[in-house]
Amino acid sequence: MTTAADGTAGPAVRVRFLGDFELTVNGAPVQRWRAGKARGLFQYLVVHRGQMLTRDRLYASLWPGADAAAGSSLKVAAHALRRVLDAHPDRPGDSGIRLVYRDFGYVLHITGLWSDLDRFQELVHTGLRAAAAGDTPLARTRLRAAIGLYGGEFLRGESADWVVEQREYLRALALRALGVLRADAEAREDFVELIEICKRTLEIDRHHEETYRALMAAHGRRGELACVRRWYELCARRMRDELAVAPGHETQRLLGTLIPAAARAFAPSAAVSAVTGAPPATVRALRPAARRAGTPAWSPDARTTAAARPVRRARPDNRAAAALARAADQATA
């Protein structure tokens, strides 16, 4: 067959796992599956192709809690899979797909397979090795290509345990690749690429504090202090609303270095208030109570009076912060 991208000969079977699942056999997309679990069985077998997978393992991954001794669900799914993909163990069709039952389990063989999952992992590992060896141009090329393939999370919308496990592993690989690319863009002071890399990172992990710090530092070096503050406030709001924590000390210290006045507004007490929702005490409430005439300074009575004095709290005006947060949200869109 020929690929639509370049007109050259290519694999007969193409599978996309990153984002929405797609399967193409001899140029024709496979869209209708004869059994609900046939597609899940195929996905699991492709990821572990060439391995003999026992019935117990397949049931534990695809039908958790079901009785593997009966074996009817697996047989139905395997039969449907063979019919959909013409994957007879003895007479494979033009696709070159063979689903073989052997030794109380199944093994999948595919001739001429291209998978975005395999290619993504190959590019990331090659790029990371090149970066470790000091070959920056090769690392940059490989990792950029890997991120270009990362079209979304692994099998988006699926929730099986084995899918979630694989998804988190690939997500971590993508973040490692982006981290190397971010450091490279920072070293070259390529702020256009740096911002694009940071945006891509936040699409994968919206709580990635190191990325917010990179954006703050980049805008700080360019004197764009309003952008520094907006990125910090977006980070603080997401951490507070979605994780119930405040930004880390390193992020707060960076804000203090770039904008000392803004750092005072986000002092530790203010950060705690942001998490708990309690408004900070006013400056007036922190002043000592007036000493009564004839009462010696620092007398027990004076301390008791100050402690007993009720703390007045100001009603916070969140309109400005909300406007800044909305602007930062638009910047990451």
Side-chain angles (χ1 to χ4, degrees), residues 104-315:
F104 306 103
Y106 289 88
V107 59
L108 183 71
H109 299 284
I110 304 179
T111 302
L113 170 68
W114 181 91
S115 164
D116 63 347
L117 174 63
D118 297 337
R119 184 59 177 159
F120 170 76
Q121 294 181 89
E122 176 189 351
L123 287 168
V124 172
H125 290 307
T126 303
L128 293 178
R129 285 194 296 269
D135 191 345
T136 303
L138 178 61
R140 187 184 305 143
T141 300
R142 294 291 188 270
L143 296 178
R144 282 175 176 171
I147 296 304
L149 267 181
Y150 193 83
E153 63 183 17
F154 177 76
L155 291 180
R156 181 166 47 204
E158 302 290 338
S159 59
D161 286 348
W162 78 271
V163 172
V164 174
E165 180 181 346
Q166 186 75 14
R167 179 182 297 156
E168 291 305 312
Y169 166 71
L170 297 169
R171 180 174 174 269
L173 273 186
L175 291 174
R176 285 183 63 190
L178 286 164
V180 174
L181 290 172
R182 183 178 64 248
D184 174 60
E186 288 173 336
R188 292 183 290 108
E189 296 188 355
D190 187 337
F191 294 109
V192 173
E193 183 175 0
L194 174 61
I195 291 173
E196 183 63 28
I197 291 169
C198 290
K199 177 182 176 182
R200 192 75 177 89
T201 303
L202 294 178
E203 289 173 356
I204 298 173
D205 182 2
R206 57 193 279 120
H207 308 116
H208 200 266
E209 273 198 73
E210 189 175 351
T211 297
Y212 290 105
R213 289 196 295 270
L215 287 164
M216 292 166 62
H219 287 293
R221 292 184 65 179
R222 300 174 66 175
E224 299 166 345
L225 300 186
C227 292
V228 172
R229 179 166 183 148
R230 284 196 292 269
W231 282 115
Y232 178 86
E233 291 183 344
L234 176 62
C235 173
R237 181 169 62 81
R238 286 177 171 176
M239 300 290 282
R240 177 198 65 207
D241 294 348
E242 298 168 19
L243 299 180
V245 298
H249 295 300
E250 189 174 350
T251 307
Q252 296 179 32
R253 281 196 299 269
L254 178 59
L255 179 67
T257 300
L258 298 173
I259 315 178
R264 288 193 293 272
F266 286 95
S269 60
V272 172
S273 298
V275 174
T276 62
T282 62
V283 174
R284 179 182 301 177
L286 299 177
R287 294 173 179 168
R291 183 163 51 90
R292 291 177 301 182
T295 303
W298 306 109
S299 69
D301 289 343
R303 289 195 298 270
T304 303
T305 302
R309 187 181 180 88
V311 177
R312 297 180 60 191
R313 300 184 180 272
R315 181 175 300 171

